[in-house]
């Protein structure tokens, strides 16, 4: 209390108020130690002490029952200055009339030496502020009997306004409710950083009663490093007054090894005058929240890893690259060390390698990654280098994982770098293709169930991509085998042409492998020492494109043997191409273009093709083009140029006729047919590639093989991922003395004359062994021309690698071979031609037809069929 009146020694002194204030000050000095001795017990209390809150007033009553001292607080409480209060009867002045008698009795008892405490209503005299009626109040009075220096009985009264006491009581109750009933740990720390008070919640966690914690320090509750950090923070809060919110503290509860986490709030506590008197500590246990946050963080990390895996794994169709992509995702984000082993048999192309089911099959290590420098992988057994073929012991966890298709934990080896390893089988479409191992080194968090599930998911994604790459590799190899099997074997040979060709598959890399394309070329020998040159390209890639290419190539060969004109060949190919895709072909696809859902179900094969027929006798070449790049011609002494051949529509589009262009090729001219892979790539436009190709044909007189190599080397920068087909032919027409050509009138004697022409020509060519056979066959064909043909008859003999005999007439009826009966006199001529010749046939010409046969040249080893024996065999 800040005001205790001194002894009532001068009850009648007008300056009694001053003396009372002096007494108040003296008591304050006694209580707060601010005395002359300088002792700590005598220090004064600064403004804002508890007495300021309680507002204690004091006055004294002399032996006569009148006020003889009146303090300043009494003036403030009752509103009466000291000069008016001293000498007043407190009962008459402050107590209502109906209570004055009772008050007088109490005063008498007090002056008789009895202490008294009670609640007394009082009335403050009227003032300008309170109005005429004054105001009423309720005071709690503590009366202490005393004596004057003369020994007379007097009293000292200490008075407190009841309203102030009730307010303080309410505040204390609220404070106690917050402090004592709070579900959070509440600690009040004094300026010496010692516990002054704790609530029951704090005591229930750390043991004992709240009183047991008084005087303890932070080091009694937290480990040393954490306690030092918290102590420094407490000092900073005490000095600066800055509050700390959500400060995380880690420690252990008594008798428990479980690490706990708390969130604490610190703020400085001040007195009413602002003097720091301590620090309030409000803490809550966030261990569960931290665990949930860690789970959420782990889930976010796992989701991020899965998203990254989806973006980075499977961008390549290369097995080893896909395995490395998996490790790029997991190291170091998921683990510190990782390896991928794949079954060696699957890598070699086997469907089910021996021992795969029981896990004993050989594996090849295809990838390894480490976030620890110079750290060999020691997940299971001895380290295995990348590329090495090995197998796991039957009883090992890795072999068990391969057998059961379930992940296995591998225990850490004593003294090793690795503390936790997961062996995860790589399963794709219910097939185990390999094993991935993930390891964490000492100091990292061991693998948990969530990590295991994530590892299984990552391995499964990589396994599907690896299996797709394996299937792609198998399909690619099959398509390549198919494609190459359909290309002409070796170096093609043609009459009147020097041929050189190249086929190169598209460039491939680990990041962008090349699929097999539909490029093809062909050299087809036709009757009459003519040659069909074909180059085509099926749009699209892969096995289906290769199959479509094979079907078109077979169709071209069939159509070429029918000896159709180039435009007719392409028209027939267009019909075939439309039939290779979905039913209805391009017309149906065009109609379905207005209905995208149906169009998605259609697959139409489009192809480009250039078809040329070269006649070695006339050195004329007829071209027809179906959307392909133009042929390039280099005449002797001239610059290379692209032939102006109408491009036409690609095969499979339909609806447009194809045009033919006939070009006479001089002796020694160079003709080049090619596909777009030679001149076009992602990095170079088509026009630039074409100009580079034309510019590369600078020396057409060089050997054709050298010309091909020069072109490919020059255009290497233009070669992209597409296939290349290059067909080059140098013109070497038949010399004039290798051709015998005669026109015969339509009369019977022309048969004999034809035999004479043939005999004479063969003898001039030193082909006497062929004379008899040739005469017989010429006689048969000329006779048929006279009997079934029209117009004049033309006989032509051609000598090159074989002897070809052609009989021309204007009739359109094609000869048909039939089997003659024994009683028939005729009908055996074409059978005889087929029996004696190496090949025979007929073809249409612009003015009729040509029937021909071919005889091999005698080589001294293969004897000729005797015509007489052939005739006898027909009967």
């Amino acid at each position: 209390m800040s005001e205790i009146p001194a002894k009532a020694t001068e009850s009648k002194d007008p300056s009694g108020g001053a003396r009372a204030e002096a007494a108040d000050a003296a008591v304050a000095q006694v209580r707060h130690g601010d005395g002359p001795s300088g002792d700590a017990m005598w220090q004064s209390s600064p403004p804002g002490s508890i007495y300021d809150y309680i507002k204690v007033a004091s006055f004294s009553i002399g032996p006569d029952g009148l006020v003889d001292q009146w303090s300043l607080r009494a003036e403030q409480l009752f509103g009466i200055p000291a000069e008016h209060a001293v000498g007043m009867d407190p009962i008459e002045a402050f107590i209502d009339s109906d209570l004055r008698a009772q008050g007088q009795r109490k005063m008498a008892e007090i002056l008789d030496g009895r202490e008294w405490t009670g609640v007394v209503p009082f009335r403050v005299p009227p003032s300008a502020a309170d109005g005429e009626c004054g105001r009423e109040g309720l005071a709690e009075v503590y009366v202490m009997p005393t004596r004057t220096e003369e020994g007379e009985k007097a009293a000292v009264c200490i008075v407190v306004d009841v309203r102030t006491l009730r307010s303080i009581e309410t505040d204390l109750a609220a404070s106690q409710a917050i402090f004592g009933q709070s579900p959070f740990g509440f600690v009040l720390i004094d300026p010496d950083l010692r516990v002054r008070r704790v609530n029951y919640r704090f005591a229930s966690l750390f043991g004992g009663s709240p009183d047991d914690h008084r005087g303890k320090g932070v080091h009694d509750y937290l480990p040393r490093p954490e306690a030092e950090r918290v102590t420094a923070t407490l000092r900073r809060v005490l000095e600066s007054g800055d509050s700390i919110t959500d400060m995380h503290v880690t420690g252990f509860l008594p008798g428990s090894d479980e690490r706990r986490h708390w969130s604490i709030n610190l703020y400085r506590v001040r007195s009413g005058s602002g003097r720091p008197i301590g620090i309030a500590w409000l803490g809550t246990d966030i261990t569960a929240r931290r665990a949930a946050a860690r789970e959420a963080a782990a889930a976010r990390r796992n989701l991020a890893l899965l998203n990254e895996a989806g973006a980075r794994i499977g961008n390549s169709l290369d097995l080893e690259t896909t395995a490395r992509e998996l490790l790029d995702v997991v190291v170091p984000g998921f683990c510190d060390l990782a390896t991928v082993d794949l079954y060696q048999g699957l890598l070699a192309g086997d469907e089910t390698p021996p021992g795969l089911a029981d896990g004993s099959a050989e594996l090849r290590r295809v990838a390894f990654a480490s976030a620890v420098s110079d750290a060999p992988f020691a997940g299971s057994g001895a380290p295995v280098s990348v590329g090495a073929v090995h197998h796991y012991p039957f009883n090992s966890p890795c072999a068990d994982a391969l057998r059961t298709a379930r992940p296995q934990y591998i225990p850490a080896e004593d003294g090793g770098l690795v503390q936790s390893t997961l062996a995860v089988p790589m399963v794709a479409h219910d097939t185990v293709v390999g094993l991935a191992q993930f390891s964490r080194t000492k100091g990292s968090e061991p693998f948990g169930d969530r990590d295991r599930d994530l590892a299984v998911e990552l391995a499964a994604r990589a396994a599907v991509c690896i299996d797709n790459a394996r299937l792609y590799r198998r399909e690619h190899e099959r398509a390549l085998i198919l494609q190459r099997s359909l290309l002409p074997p070796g170096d093609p040979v043609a009459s009147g042409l020097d041929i050189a060709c190249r086929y190169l598959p598209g460039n491939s890399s680990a990041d962008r492998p090349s699929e097999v394309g539909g490029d093809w070329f062909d050299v087809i020998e036709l009757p009459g020492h003519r040659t069909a040159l074909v180059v085509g390209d099926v749009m699209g890639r892969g096995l289906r494109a290769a199959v479509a290419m094979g079907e078109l190539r077979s169709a071209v060969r069939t159509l070429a043997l029918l000896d159709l004109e180039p435009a007719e060949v392409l028209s027939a190919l267009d019909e075939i191409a439309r039939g290779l895709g979905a039913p209805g072909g391009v017309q149906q696809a065009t109609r379905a273009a207005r209905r995208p859902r149906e169009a998605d179900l259609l697959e139409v094969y489009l192809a480009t093709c250039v078809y040329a027929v070269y006649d070695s006798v006339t050195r004329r070449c007829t071209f027809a083009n179906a959307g392909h790049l133009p042929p390039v011609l280099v005449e002797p002494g001239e610059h290379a140029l692209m032939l102006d051949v109408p491009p036409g529509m690609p095969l499979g589009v339909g609806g447009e006729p194809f045009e033919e262009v006939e070009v006479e090729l001089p002796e020694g001219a160079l003709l080049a047919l090619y596909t777009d892979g030679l001149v076009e790539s992602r990095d170079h436009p088509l026009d630039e590639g074409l100009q580079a190709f034309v510019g590369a044909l600078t020396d057409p007189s060089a050997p054709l093989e050298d010309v091909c190599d020069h072109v490919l080397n020059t255009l290497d920068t233009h070669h992209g991922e597409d296939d290349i087909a290059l067909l080059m032919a140098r013109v070497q027409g038949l010399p004039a003395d290798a051709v015998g050509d005669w026109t015969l009138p339509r009369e019977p004697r022309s048969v004999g004359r034809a035999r004479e022409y043939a005999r004479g020509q063969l003898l001039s060519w030193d082909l006497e062994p062929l004379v008899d056979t040739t005469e017989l066959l010429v006689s048969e064909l000329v006779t048929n021309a006279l009997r079934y043909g029209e117009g004049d008859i033309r006989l032509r003999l051609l000598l090159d690698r074989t002897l070809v005999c052609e009989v021309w007439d204007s009739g359109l009826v094609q000869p048909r071979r039939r089997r003659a009966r024994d009683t028939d006199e005729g009908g055996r001529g074409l059978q005889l031609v087929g029996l004696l010749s190496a090949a025979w046939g007929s073809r249409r010409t612009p003015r009729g037809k040509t029937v021909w046969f071919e005889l091999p040249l005698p080589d001294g080893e293969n004897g000729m069929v005797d015509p007489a024996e052939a005739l006898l065999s027909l009967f």
Side-chain angles (χ1 to χ4, degrees), residues 730-783:
R730 177 176 288 119
V731 174
Q732 298 175 344
L734 286 179
D737 58 0
V739 179
D741 196 345
W742 304 273
T743 301
L744 301 172
R746 190 172 186 78
E747 56 186 28
R749 61 180 179 177
S750 294
V751 177
R753 189 173 301 172
R755 288 198 298 267
E756 293 176 2
Y757 290 152
R759 172 182 287 274
Q761 187 65 67
L762 293 180
L763 291 177
S764 67
W765 288 338
D766 294 329
L767 294 178
E768 185 177 357
L770 300 181
V771 170
D772 292 343
T773 302
T774 303
E775 282 187 331
L776 177 59
L777 298 184
V778 166
S779 177
E780 288 292 336
L781 296 186
V782 172
T783 299

Side-chain angles (χ1 to χ4, degrees), residues 418-713:
V418 176
Q419 77 158 356
S420 181
T421 299
L422 271 174
V424 183
M426 306 181 70
V427 184
H429 311 299
D430 298 328
T431 301
V432 179
V433 299
L435 182 74
Q437 292 187 70
F438 309 104
S439 291
R440 291 178 178 173
T441 57
K442 294 187 182 299
S444 300
E445 184 177 356
F447 289 115
D449 293 341
R450 183 185 295 275
D451 297 322
R452 179 197 59 197
D453 296 340
L454 176 61
V456 171
E457 178 64 23
L458 291 172
R461 292 193 178 194
V464 171
C465 296
I466 288 174
D467 194 53
N468 290 340
R470 178 183 65 85
L471 296 176
Y472 165 78
R473 176 183 291 182
R474 186 181 65 188
E475 179 177 333
H476 181 272
E477 292 174 351
R478 292 178 179 179
L480 192 60
I481 293 173
L482 173 63
Q483 185 184 42
R484 291 179 175 174
S485 67
L486 295 175
L487 296 175
D491 295 327
V493 178
S495 177
L497 292 174
D498 183 13
I499 302 291
C501 55
R502 293 288 189 276
Y503 174 79
L504 298 177
N507 287 341
S508 61
S509 64
D511 297 329
R512 190 176 62 186
S514 174
E515 291 186 290
V516 172
D519 295 16
W520 92 92
F521 68 90
D522 208 346
V523 178
I524 307 170
E525 292 190 86
L526 301 178
H529 290 303
R530 295 174 304 128
T531 304
L533 303 176
V534 188
V535 170
D537 184 3
V538 175
M539 298 181 185
R541 307 190 64 77
L543 183 59
R544 293 189 176 185
V547 171
M549 177 271 287
E551 295 186 10
L552 290 178
R553 177 181 178 273
S554 299
V556 170
R557 280 193 157 267
T558 301
L559 295 171
L561 294 178
L562 294 178
D563 219 342
L564 302 177
E565 296 297 324
E568 293 177 329
V569 171
L570 292 186
S571 296
L573 280 179
D574 180 61
E575 294 290 338
I576 294 172
R578 282 184 284 168
L580 291 179
V586 175
Q587 287 84 358
Q588 183 174 346
T590 303
R591 292 194 299 270
R594 303 183 185 94
R595 297 168 294 176
R597 292 183 179 179
E598 294 183 21
D600 292 341
L601 301 177
L602 300 176
E603 183 179 7
V604 179
Y605 289 95
L606 300 179
T608 62
C609 178
V610 61
Y611 183 85
V613 174
Y614 169 72
D615 189 333
S616 63
V617 179
T618 63
R619 293 200 307 275
R620 301 187 69 84
C621 189
T622 304
F623 296 92
N625 192 355
H628 203 78
L629 297 175
V632 175
L633 177 65
V634 187
E635 297 185 3
E638 302 290 341
H639 294 293
L641 56 89
M642 289 182 287
L643 295 177
D644 187 12
V645 179
M649 299 298 291
L651 301 176
V653 175
E656 294 292 334
F658 298 96
E659 300 182 46
E660 293 182 355
V661 173
E662 188 175 66
V663 179
E664 183 173 354
L665 305 179
E667 186 74 18
L670 182 64
L671 181 66
L673 306 178
Y674 53 95
T675 57
D676 57 359
L678 179 66
V679 295
E680 185 179 26
S681 70
R682 296 181 179 180
D683 301 326
H684 299 85
L686 178 60
D687 292 342
E688 180 182 331
L690 288 173
Q691 293 301 323
F693 177 43
V694 171
L697 297 173
T698 56
D699 187 13
S701 61
L704 274 187
E705 297 294 335
D706 295 342
V707 174
C708 288
D709 294 337
H710 174 70
V711 168
L712 294 177
N713 293 333

Side-chain angles (χ1 to χ4, degrees), residues 1-2 24-52 271 273 275:
M1 295 184 181
S2 61
D24 291 345
V27 173
Q29 290 177 353
V30 171
R31 291 190 177 274
H32 296 285
D34 195 12
S37 65
D39 191 277
M41 293 183 60
W42 294 93
Q43 294 177 0
S44 63
S45 175
S49 66
I50 189 64
Y51 306 108
D52 293 324
S271 66
S273 62
R275 178 173 61 89

Side-chain angles (χ1 to χ4, degrees), residues 188-267:
L188 186 61
I189 300 175
D190 63 18
D192 295 330
L193 303 187
R194 292 291 176 180
V195 174
R196 177 60 62 86
R197 186 179 179 188
V198 303
N199 66 349
Y200 285 101
R201 174 60 178 170
F202 184 90
S204 66
L205 293 176
F206 287 92
S209 65
D211 292 337
D212 295 335
H213 294 273
R214 294 182 186 274
K216 290 186 176 181
V218 177
H219 288 78
D220 295 320
Y221 301 100
L222 298 175
R224 182 180 182 83
E226 193 77 336
E228 292 177 352
R229 181 175 71 93
V230 174
T231 298
T233 304
L234 291 173
R235 295 188 185 280
R236 190 165 59 250
V237 171
L238 188 63
E239 294 171 359
S240 67
D242 296 333
S243 300
I244 299 294
T245 59
D246 197 26
M247 176 181 177
H248 289 191
V249 177
T250 303
F252 299 91
L253 293 177
S256 174
D257 294 334
E258 180 185 3
R259 185 181 297 272
R260 309 293 294 183
H261 302 274
W262 295 278
S263 171
I264 64 172
N265 300 308
L266 303 174
Y267 60 91

